[in-house]
Amino acid sequence: MSNKSLSGKTAFITGAAHRIGARTAQELHAQGANIILHYRNSKTAAEALQNELNSQRPDSVRLLKGDLLDTTTLDSLIEQAVQQYGHLVVLINNASSFYPTAVGEVTNKEWDDLIGTNMKAPFFLSQAAATALGQQQGCIINIVDIHAERPLKGYPVYSMAKAGLVMMTKALACELGPDVRVNAIAPGAILWPENDMDAATQEKIISRTFLKRKGDPGDIARTALFLIKDATYMSGQIPVSYTHLTLPTTIELCRCRWSPDH
């Protein structure tokens, strides 16, 4: 798809009602893509984004509700996605849970939620979508994390889940090539957590980055666009959108990315 319009191409984005998922939907839509917005609980936000984008191009955005933790429904979810516009070119596994889990106190519910949203669901969605994507020479993009390589203290299950997602990206690139490319993006200081970080801490994080500024969800959206349109000889790769100097910075930066909503 290098240097070609995305007009008429269909992208399915999980957890697309808010934040990076929503901004990515806007970016791909602006390039002519039809968007399937997945949400779990955020119906109001998903409908608002759908109305915004459909006002620009009628019937170019449709919604799919689903609980990604229920893997028995994921084949059906992909089938519904394909049926919306008759094909599927892009799957973006964006939905994610992020919260601390203290060793010695981790529950099965927390384990199932963090592993489920960050690794298990992306795998089963990718597996279900592989045939449809292969027919279009399409691609999968996973949203991962620097803490897949450098664990965040207090967040062991989340870190392990993202490590699994990184390996899944590489393994599926091997398994699904040459028909389907599989890459990932590791965001950095893109969005501050809501009501959880004071200005002094934010400035400290920014001061330790190479570029001395916070990024924007548009930076991640444009990276996704590059992987879809122009990176035709990239698969199994993880572009990293952070610019840190020291490990403490990466520990602090992780708190800036994820919303528990999917």
Side-chain angles (χ1 to χ4, degrees):
M1 290 185 289
S2 180
N3 298 319
K4 295 182 180 179
S5 170
L6 295 185
S7 179
K9 308 294 185 182
T10 302
F12 179 34
I13 307 173
T14 67
H18 295 290
R19 297 164 69 89
I20 288 174
R23 182 65 186 86
T24 301
Q26 292 170 327
E27 182 71 27
L28 300 188
H29 184 267
Q31 297 291 321
N34 292 326
I35 307 297
I36 301 171
L37 298 177
H38 161 266
Y39 70 97
R40 184 178 69 171
N41 297 321
S42 300
K43 181 179 180 180
T44 300
E47 289 179 341
L49 181 57
Q50 179 189 35
N51 291 335
E52 171 197 330
L53 298 180
N54 277 340
S55 69
Q56 300 169 16
R57 183 155 37 90
D59 196 32
S60 56
V61 177
R62 298 180 184 176
L63 303 182
L64 278 183
K65 178 180 180 179
D67 182 357
L68 301 185
L69 293 177
D70 185 358
T71 53
T72 64
T73 68
L74 299 187
D75 283 356
S76 175
L77 195 65
I78 291 297
E79 288 175 7
Q80 293 176 64
V82 173
Q83 290 169 1
Q84 295 302 308
Y85 296 103
H87 70 280
L88 187 64
V89 177
V90 179
L91 169 64
I92 300 181
N93 289 308
N94 170 74
S96 172
S97 293
F98 171 72
Y99 49 81
T101 50
V103 172
E105 301 176 8
V106 178
T107 66
N108 281 317
K109 182 178 180 180
E110 291 170 334
W111 174 273
D112 290 342
D113 178 51
L114 288 165
I115 297 294
T117 58
N118 289 292
M119 182 170 64
K120 187 176 181 180
F123 175 81
F124 282 98
L125 284 171
S126 299
Q127 176 176 263
T131 297
L133 292 172
Q135 291 170 350
Q136 301 293 323
Q137 294 290 295
C139 67
I140 297 168
I141 298 173
N142 299 315
I143 305 299
V144 298
D145 196 304
I146 182 58
H147 296 296
E149 298 181 3
R150 301 176 180 181
L152 173 61
K153 186 172 178 59
Y155 294 74
V157 182
Y158 172 80
S159 299
M160 288 186 288
K162 286 302 187 185
L165 187 56
V166 166
M167 179 50 69
M168 190 193 91
T169 299
K170 298 175 181 179
L172 288 185
C174 177
E175 298 293 333
L176 301 182
D179 295 327
V180 180
R181 293 180 297 109
V182 186
N183 293 291
I185 305 171
I190 301 301
L191 291 169
W192 304 124
E194 297 176 357
N195 303 317
D196 192 35
M197 184 178 292
D198 58 43
T201 301
Q202 293 177 14
E203 288 301 319
K204 183 178 180 182
I205 291 171
I206 291 172
S207 71
R208 290 177 174 175
T209 66
F210 294 141
L211 298 181
K212 309 304 180 186
R213 62 178 175 83
K214 183 172 74 73
D216 181 89
D219 295 319
I220 306 304
R222 287 185 291 274
T223 302
L225 179 63
F226 164 74
L227 290 174
I228 295 165
K229 284 186 62 180
D230 299 316
T232 56
Y233 200 63
M234 283 182 63
S235 197
Q237 303 303 308
I238 299 95
V240 182
S241 297
Y242 62 90
T243 51
H244 62 276
L245 289 171
T246 63
L247 180 57
T249 303
T250 65
I251 289 174
E252 292 169 321
L253 289 183
C254 179
R255 302 173 66 230
C256 306
R257 289 189 291 280
W258 301 113
S259 167
D261 188 274
H262 22 286

